Amino acid sequence: MKNIVPRGYMLLKDNIVREDNLFGFPSKVKGRWAEGLSLPRKGERLLFAGCGYQFMSYAEPLLEKIKGMEDKGVSVDRALSFTMGLRKLGVNVPALLSKVSFGREDPYTTVLLDAVRILKRLKEDFAYLGEEEPCCGSPLYYLGFFEDFARKAGEAFRRFKEAGAREIIGIVPACTSSLKNLHPKFVDGYDLEVKHFVEYLDEAFDRKPVKLRLDRTVTIHDPCQIARFLEISDVLRRLLSRVEGLTVLEAPTSREFTMCCGGGTGLEFTLPELSLKIAAKRVRELLETGASTIVTCCPGCLMQLRHGAEAVRAEVEILDVVQLLSQALEG
Amino acid sequence: MEAVKSRKIELALERAIKAYRRNVENALARHPHTQKLAEEVRKIKEESVGRMEELVKQAMDAISDSKGQVYLARTGEEALKIAEEIVGSNRLIVKSKSLTCEEIGLREHLEKQGNRVYETDLGELIVQLLGIKPTHIINPSIHIPREDVAELLTKVTGEKVPPDIPEEVEAVRRFLREKFVQADVGISGANVVAANTGSLVIIENEGNARLSTGLPPVHLALVGMEKVVPTFQDAMKVAEVTWRYATGPSPSYVNIISGPSKTADIEKTLTYGVHGPRELHVVFLDNGRCEAAKHPVFKEALYCLRCGCCLYECPVFAVTAGNFGDVYFGGIGAVWTAIVSGRIYGSLEGLARAALIGYTCLTCGRCRVKCPMKIDVPSMVVELRRMAVEKFT
């Protein structure tokens, strides 16, 4: 019996194993958002940017392709089985790379730029590995590729150590949860302290109080990994409570009871229609709070919620917590 | 996925999920001790699954002492054979809802032997008459609107049944009443079994389980081995937590059956089969459970009370219902499919079927926090996928 593992998931696995990132793009793309920021490559504290924020703008056209296939009545699974690899999928990689903008106009890398801005403003020391940043391999674990995951985890640990790291600040919840909870189970002598950006910032604001102000009414979408795996929904709220003028309207399905955006495990890669339906449902649920801004802190959730909002034709602003805090710092 | 396209299913589910959440919230507010009790029940289940074979033997001895007849079936086929011998053919059978019966396809099997079998749970009957698959373990027909039910009942009973829920229920009552009285055999499962007294506990609201297990001269019960707990008191705790998360504050009926009907009122001479069944047959089913009990990750699946709570709270289930699963639904359903459809290590086909369901799980962990037993479904689904990678790549 063959082909039990859905092709979309095999594609994710091959991308990570071959190209060291979720979407199979050349690794040199990783650090593009940070060009000109002159961030140190070595240090005790590393900012771990993760595949999601760094690649999502490149990955969206790829996902559109996958969705398009399902719409035409070709099962995604079958389509992917004979079109493994980006080029075969009809994605012209060099053309895509030159076309996609990043930075302020891009909803994903702008989050990273805001994160750097906040850290610099607080005069916190940190390094960033750029194109040397390893993929945490988290999807390999969730898809059951334990051997590949163990290899990735070992490689990541080695690169962190070479950079002199003792502490990792993750910004993608799934990567952070993987580096914090899963890597120690697969790597001997794992001794890195791992925190999510939200936790780190909350502590940093304690040490260095700053004025945060933003007049806005928002509702929070807790990413699954934040709520149920890292279990820091309370920290996220404490952090947001520092912002004057901010009103938070809670959905009944929040904190540890938060509803998945439909992107868990990468479902959008195998059953995009189902995944989108779940996203649309989640957006409707969040808008029932009366807020017209949704705040979250995960690149996967950001994308799913954006697509969900389009599907239900909702006028809604979707912000990452980091973007919101960056705006509040100016305000 | 066809189910995703059906807005009808989604709407019916949306209503059902809202109503369910309200019910359970009210029930937990009225009985705030439930959460602590659930923690206690988790410990009871952990202990019971650890001693499963021993406890089943104890329960079998206790039922035998009360003149019930007991069987231990290692596979679904064995259980079907036993049931076939007890029931025979050309019989009229009334059946109350049981997932374990569905697991081995008992109804279909007995029908093939030339028996007439009626599901007596309303939702299950609707699903049976429509000839489709149930979509939820507690409410098998949550996706079917009243108009469709009226049309169906009109066809089946020959009387004009309007699309009015009380009238529909009345029509079903009239339709099934004579079946209960005339039935040769009643079939049920059990929600929990006490090893020390051999008591089967069956929770219900409609009264169909009372009639199915009380009126016919023969009662056949099929019980998964994982349902047995050490004592009667333990069984009551399991039952209370189960019904609170399944239906609400308290069910209309809790049936407790430890043996056939009996009397000694004439000359102190014990005689069996007064108003209730003369014979009680209890078949305990292994079908992969003993193997699962020894598995470091999958043993947690055996703690499942089948309250259905996780399904109402699952983001995928909310848009796909019974299409997310086989006999057992949702993420935990994927694991149960592996356990029962070919034994965990035994059959590749079973594993493949289970894995395919497992790939639809988001591993979002919402079921884990909602589950009264706090069953770690994401970890089990990941283990299932790990096994699939090992065997199929």
Side-chain angles (χ1 to χ4, degrees), chain B residues 318-331:
Chain B
V319 291
T320 61
N323 292 285
F324 181 20
D326 192 6
V327 169
Y328 296 103
F329 301 129

Side-chain angles (χ1 to χ4, degrees), chain A residues 149-168:
Chain A
F149 179 68
R151 218 171 296 127
K152 272 276 154 244
E155 197 181 312
F157 184 64
R158 192 176 48 74
R159 282 198 223 167
F160 292 146
K161 283 300 206 188
E162 277 169 12
R166 293 157 65 121
E167 186 185 356
I168 312 275

Side-chain angles (χ1 to χ4, degrees), chain A residues 39-100:
Chain A
L39 301 175
R41 289 291 185 106
K42 280 183 191 291
E44 288 198 354
R45 183 183 300 126
L46 291 185
L47 176 69
F48 189 86
C51 296
Y53 287 114
Q54 298 188 106
F55 287 100
M56 199 63 93
S57 42
Y58 309 111
E60 277 202 328
L62 168 70
L63 283 162
E64 283 308 309
K65 267 255 156 14
I66 291 177
K67 281 192 181 123
M69 282 177 190
E70 196 174 60
D71 288 341
K72 278 179 219 130
V74 182
S75 105
V76 177
D77 214 59
R78 249 187 49 220
L80 286 177
S81 71
F82 55 78
T83 57
M84 294 289 277
L86 299 182
R87 199 155 293 132
K88 286 188 195 162
L89 252 175
V91 178
N92 183 334
V93 178
L96 179 68
L97 295 185
S98 62
K99 221 168 37 210
V100 169

Side-chain angles (χ1 to χ4, degrees), chain B residues 184-202:
Chain B
D184 302 296
V185 182
I187 294 180
S188 76
N191 295 93
V192 54
V193 176
N196 64 344
T197 59
S199 309
L200 315 180
V201 181
I202 305 168

Side-chain angles (χ1 to χ4, degrees), chain B residues 96-135:
Chain B
S96 59
K97 187 170 57 192
S98 155
L99 269 171
T100 316
C101 291
E102 204 157 310
E103 174 187 319
I104 63 167
L106 182 59
R107 189 184 80 214
E108 294 78 0
H109 183 77
L110 292 176
E111 281 170 346
K112 256 187 237 148
Q113 305 293 315
N115 297 291
R116 277 190 300 148
V117 188
Y118 286 94
E119 294 288 352
T120 60
D121 172 84
L122 179 48
E124 199 81 43
L125 176 69
I126 293 170
V127 164
Q128 180 190 15
L129 294 175
L130 284 170
I132 56 172
K133 234 175 77 124
T135 44

Side-chain angles (χ1 to χ4, degrees), chain A residues 1 4-6 141-146 224 228-229 253 256-260 262 264-265 274 277 281 284, chain B residues 4 10 14 21 315 319-320 349 352 356 359 361-366 368-370 382 385-386 389 392-393:
Chain A
M1 224 173 303
I4 293 300
V5 185
Y141 174 84
Y142 282 98
L143 293 173
F145 296 96
F146 278 28
C224 298
R228 288 187 283 263
F229 295 82
T253 43
E256 74 261 45
F257 300 134
T258 187
M259 195 58 92
C260 180
T265 300
L274 171 62
K277 209 143 203 180
K281 211 170 153 64
R284 279 204 302 268
Chain B
V4 181
E10 207 185 319
E14 246 167 51
R21 284 199 189 136
V319 291
T320 61
E349 208 176 304
L356 284 175
Y359 285 117
C361 172
L362 293 157
T363 56
C364 75
R366 196 154 194 276
R368 189 188 65 200
V369 296
K370 286 287 182 178
V382 167
R385 293 170 179 173
R386 190 195 63 75
V389 164
F392 303 118
T393 59

